[in-house]
Amino acid sequence: MLNKITKSLSSIAFKLFISFWLFAILSIALTRVISTQLAEESVLMPLHKKDIHRLKYLKKRIERSETITVNRLLAKNLPLRGEAILLKDPATTKVFANKNRFLNPLIPYLETNSFDSPASIQFANARITGPLNTTIANTNYQLYIAVKGDNPHFSSYVMQLPKWARIIIPVIVSMLLAWLLARSLSRPLVKIKHAAAKIGNGQLTTRVDHNTTKRIDELGDLSRSFNQMAEKLEQNITAHQRLLGDVSHELRSPMTRLQMAIGLALQSIDNKETLITHLSRCELEVTRLDDMIAEVLSLSRLENTIQHLSLQTCDLSSLLNACITDGQYLANNKSITINAKVPKAVTIQADGKLLASAITNVLINAVKYSPANSTINVFTLLSDKDITIQVVDSGPGVPEESINQLFQPFYRVEHARDRDTGGTGLGLAIAHQAILAHNGNIFAQNNESNGLTVTLVLPR
């Protein structure tokens, strides 16, 4: 319990609340002191003729009446609403008046001030005129008349309140406003803290709520930045988890074949020709494992968002020609011809090795899925803003529902999952990450007749 209270008192919300509240109270106190010193609650005015005329009339009536008393006089209703009679005993300075609220600030003034001659004193909410000396029941009094103002100022209502109320109300109001302000500032921080704690516990889908992110102040910017960070973190961790699962799954098949080949080789020790066949199979599977591991490492480096690109001015024409030459070497095994229209003297700011890897992987993918004795076309389109490279093959194409999945790691179209053309499913994923690293775009679409077109767009 004590730890909980200590933690609450140490929270930023409590610190903000106390700071704002103390500042508000100090401001109110200083304002009150300064206004008391500078402002006058009453102003001495020229004698009000109407008021003094009515006051003389009241004095005559009092002197003519033999049965008048203080209580009866104060209870007397004056003809005009908003008027009141006040009697002051000069001997005791006590002021007698009825219970009109607008008289509350006037009575203390009369008790502390004396006048030798009639005068009119203007207050924020009323006016006093007097005194005229009179006698009631053998006792001398000073007679005053008070007239309530037509449009009293707000301060007049405040002045009518008791002194303790005039102190406690500003304190309560300032406390409420300070609490609301502290809550408004601290609540988004508390939500971000809770969201961060949930993400730390593995709930990667946690986000700061919309009511906080829609704020247009710095706290709103902070919550939106937090959600962006959480989104990127979830994508990276999910990608790594998916990559780990896919790698584990994909390594199982070549490892199984390798184990089988080793087992058969051990059984064929006496048969040299069969032994060589099985050992060759082992070598093939080891090569496949090595290629897969190399591609996984390459993809992992590309998916790392803090990877540093070695950008330099590259001759895109030479780079394309080199990639096409390498692709043609593989295409010769299937008697496939790669036709290319490469413009001359085209340069681009890029990481040459990374860009060559992306283009080569797209060409290798086209060679794998194109039938023998077919043609692959490579087009290069130039504009003021970007460079577009299109690789058009003559293969069977891809089902429309699988187009968007082509660039996911280890994804292969079902009918292509065989040892000869299935591959690892990492080539296009590597190309995708390499192009994204250059702030470009890569996408695929089926041709009208047959085949697939992979388009790479790079900024100039």
Side-chain angles (χ1 to χ4, degrees), residues 51-346:
D51 288 352
I52 195 62
H53 177 73
R54 293 183 59 76
L55 202 59
K56 290 178 178 179
Y57 175 76
L58 285 173
K59 179 182 177 182
K60 288 181 180 179
R61 293 193 61 180
I62 292 171
E63 292 174 348
R64 289 176 183 174
S65 177
E66 297 179 356
T67 60
I68 193 72
T69 63
V70 171
N71 291 335
R72 289 179 63 184
L73 178 62
L74 297 179
K76 181 179 180 61
N77 292 324
L78 295 179
L80 297 179
R81 188 177 180 182
E83 293 185 350
I85 298 172
L86 298 95
L87 290 174
K88 179 179 179 180
D89 186 347
T92 61
T93 69
K94 184 177 180 179
V95 175
F96 301 90
N98 59 22
K99 295 182 178 180
N100 270 318
R101 289 185 61 187
F102 83 94
L103 297 177
N104 289 346
L106 310 183
I107 294 174
Y109 178 83
L110 291 179
E111 289 177 342
T112 57
N113 293 275
S114 298
F115 298 92
D116 297 330
S117 60
S120 293
I121 303 97
Q122 182 66 50
F123 289 81
N125 69 319
R127 180 179 68 249
I128 297 179
T129 300
L132 291 181
N133 296 322
T134 188
T135 302
I136 301 175
N138 299 321
T139 303
N140 294 325
Y141 291 98
Q142 291 180 334
L143 180 64
Y144 293 86
I145 186 172
V147 181
K148 186 178 181 181
D150 294 334
N151 297 307
H153 192 270
F154 174 76
S155 60
S156 66
Y157 295 107
V158 176
M159 294 302 297
Q160 296 177 39
L161 296 174
K163 182 175 289 187
W164 65 267
R166 280 184 271 168
I167 295 175
I168 199 67
I169 289 177
V171 171
I172 294 175
V173 172
S174 64
M175 179 179 67
L176 179 61
L177 294 177
W179 178 79
L180 291 175
L181 181 58
R183 186 171 180 268
S184 174
L185 293 177
S186 64
R187 192 173 183 182
L189 298 177
V190 173
K191 290 182 178 180
I192 293 174
K193 183 192 75 172
H194 290 162
K198 289 182 179 180
I199 289 177
N201 291 330
Q203 301 179 32
L204 300 179
T205 58
T206 302
R207 300 290 183 271
V208 179
D209 63 82
H210 178 67
N211 289 333
T212 304
T213 57
K214 71 179 182 181
R215 292 174 64 119
I216 57 175
D217 55 7
E218 288 80 359
L219 292 174
D221 294 338
L222 175 62
S223 59
R224 287 188 292 273
S225 298
F226 179 89
N227 281 352
Q228 292 175 0
M229 178 200 69
E231 184 73 23
K232 194 65 178 177
L233 183 63
E234 181 186 9
Q235 291 177 358
N236 287 344
I237 293 179
T238 302
H240 289 161
Q241 291 175 344
R242 184 182 66 247
L243 182 62
L244 181 61
D246 291 341
V247 167
S248 302
H249 179 269
E250 293 295 329
L251 287 177
R252 190 172 301 163
S253 296
M255 288 294 294
T256 300
R257 292 194 295 269
L258 181 59
Q259 288 176 344
M260 292 177 60
I262 292 174
L264 293 173
L266 290 175
Q267 296 175 9
S268 307
I269 294 179
D270 297 332
N271 189 334
K272 184 177 180 180
E273 183 178 349
T274 305
L275 178 61
I276 292 174
T277 301
H278 292 315
L279 290 177
S280 298
R281 185 66 186 185
C282 289
E283 183 182 9
L284 176 62
E285 297 300 336
V286 169
T287 301
R288 287 179 172 175
L289 284 172
D290 184 62
D291 292 342
M292 182 182 294
I293 292 172
E295 289 182 339
V296 167
L297 291 175
S298 176
L299 180 62
S300 178
R301 285 193 294 269
L302 287 172
E303 286 187 339
N304 185 356
T305 55
I306 62 173
Q307 179 192 355
H308 176 70
L309 295 180
S310 179
L311 295 177
Q312 55 186 346
T313 302
C314 298
D315 185 347
L316 184 61
S317 303
S318 300
L319 189 145
L320 272 173
N321 285 325
C323 293
I324 291 170
T325 299
D326 293 341
Q328 185 62 63
Y329 181 79
L330 295 175
N332 290 335
N333 295 328
K334 299 173 67 175
S335 299
I336 295 174
T337 301
I338 301 179
N339 296 325
K341 295 181 179 180
V342 181
K344 297 181 179 180
V346 177

Side-chain angles (χ1 to χ4, degrees), residues 295 298 302 316-331 338 351-369 376 378 389-391 393 407 426-432 434-435 438 442 454 456 458:
E295 289 182 339
S298 176
L302 287 172
L316 184 61
S317 303
S318 300
L319 189 145
L320 272 173
N321 285 325
C323 293
I324 291 170
T325 299
D326 293 341
Q328 185 62 63
Y329 181 79
L330 295 175
I338 301 179
D351 187 320
K353 292 182 179 180
L354 197 58
L355 185 56
S357 172
I359 297 172
T360 300
N361 274 298
V362 173
L363 285 171
I364 292 174
N365 187 77
V367 170
K368 282 182 179 179
Y369 296 108
I376 296 174
V378 179
I389 302 170
Q390 292 181 325
V391 179
D393 64 40
F407 301 101
L426 290 174
L428 290 182
I430 292 174
H432 178 251
I435 297 301
H438 286 84
I442 182 172
V454 178
L456 297 80
L458 296 166

